[in-house]
Amino acid sequence: MSQSATLLDTRSPFGTYPAERLVRAAWRLADRHDLSRGLRKRIRALVARVFKGPYDLEADGLKFRIYPGENYDDRKILAKGRLPERAEHGLLEPHLDEGTVFVDVGANIGSYAVFAARHGAKVVAIEANPQTAHKLSFNVRANDLENVTVVNSAVGSKEDTLPLWHEPSNCGFATFVTDLTTGEWAGNWTPTYVTVRPLTDIADQQGLERIDILKVDVEGYEDRVVLPFLRHADKAMWPRVILLETNCRPYWSEDCLSELASRGYEVTGRTNDNMVLELSA
């Protein structure tokens, strides 16, 4: 593979980097869960060196330029030929309609944002990692979507500048929680200092008068996105539906779920990694 094919490319037109049959077969092998975790990890490392990307492909009718050597979501799209987190998309789909306001905090490469926009939603896709935000913007353009605004910012309780820790094999798993960079997820983590802003400020800047659906996936920082927003925003701005990642719940500084329940949110759906909560009337 040429060196140029391993670099970030957000200028070449979609279709420049086709995912050939050998590429797909290699990543399907690397994603085989009937193999032991250790063997799968070694295969993935080898495949990532040879078939790092980028590649252009369609999944569920949506276009993505992916870098499977660098991102879990990209690997899943390439290996399975469909969007990841299909169960979560199924839970959200009944709430998506023309004009629905969808705010995606931790948008990654856009598997939720592009999906929601294709259903007619007005999307504000917020991504802290600058390089990932460039990839997200490319995917939005590749799908000719004019109803998505990409905001390159982190979200927290106050304006700040903080180190966002990321690991080269999965840039989508970026976190402010340093405890997540050890133990099970130990790796070659490095920090990028990013701007942090409250969600209320971003919503004001985007001229939002309501948020119908709020999706939050920020690797253990979900409580510091959701709770300050609910405490400071007018109740009319409270999302009617929240998709909240809960697999890093032990790293929250506050119990998000108990406060959401006290404010009238009920759990109406769940998967292994996420919960859907709806605001009761």
Side-chain angles (χ1 to χ4, degrees), residues 56-76:
D56 295 338
L57 75 164
E58 293 193 26
D60 296 335
L62 303 172
K63 297 176 181 179
F64 293 91
R65 174 162 291 170
I66 61 171
Y67 300 75
E70 301 176 356
N71 198 354
Y72 174 87
D73 278 7
D74 299 48
R75 292 194 284 275
K76 288 297 181 183

Side-chain angles (χ1 to χ4, degrees), residues 238-253:
W238 289 7
R240 58 181 176 84
V241 176
I242 298 175
L243 175 67
L244 187 70
E245 187 181 55
T246 54
N247 65 346
C248 292
R249 183 179 177 183
Y251 298 93
W252 292 350
S253 61

Side-chain angles (χ1 to χ4, degrees), residues 22-42:
L22 179 60
V23 174
R24 294 174 182 267
W27 279 109
R28 282 196 296 270
L29 175 63
D31 192 55
R32 279 183 52 175
H33 284 258
D34 58 335
L35 303 175
S36 71
R37 183 176 180 180
L39 178 57
R40 193 166 67 245
K41 185 176 181 180
R42 290 194 295 273

Side-chain angles (χ1 to χ4, degrees), residues 121-251:
K122 174 184 177 181
V123 179
V124 178
I126 306 170
E127 172 54 46
N129 187 318
Q131 183 163 314
T132 306
H134 286 306
K135 296 176 181 178
L136 167 63
S137 295
F138 177 88
N139 292 333
V140 169
R141 294 194 302 272
N143 287 279
D144 298 320
L145 296 171
E146 297 182 356
N147 50 334
V148 181
T149 300
V150 175
V151 178
N152 180 202
S153 177
V155 179
S157 61
K158 62 181 181 178
E159 288 191 13
D160 207 343
T161 301
L162 293 175
L164 180 70
W165 293 89
H166 50 93
E167 207 274 338
S169 69
N170 188 9
C171 62
F173 192 75
T175 183
F176 293 121
V177 182
T178 55
D179 288 350
L180 273 173
T181 65
T182 62
E184 179 184 356
W185 290 295
N188 185 25
W189 294 85
T190 56
T192 297
Y193 282 81
V194 299
T195 299
V196 182
R197 300 168 59 201
L199 184 55
T200 48
D201 289 0
I202 294 174
D204 286 346
Q205 184 189 51
Q206 296 300 318
L208 300 183
E209 296 180 353
R210 71 179 196 279
I211 297 176
D212 296 310
I213 304 174
L214 173 65
K215 170 251 176 183
V216 186
D217 176 353
V218 286
E219 322 307 344
Y221 216 66
E222 290 80 12
D223 58 317
R224 280 151 281 195
V225 172
V226 174
L227 297 185
F229 180 76
L230 295 179
R231 291 167 183 169
H232 295 102
D234 292 338
K235 190 171 182 179
M237 284 291 294
W238 289 7
R240 58 181 176 84
V241 176
I242 298 175
L243 175 67
L244 187 70
E245 187 181 55
T246 54
N247 65 346
C248 292
R249 183 179 177 183
Y251 298 93

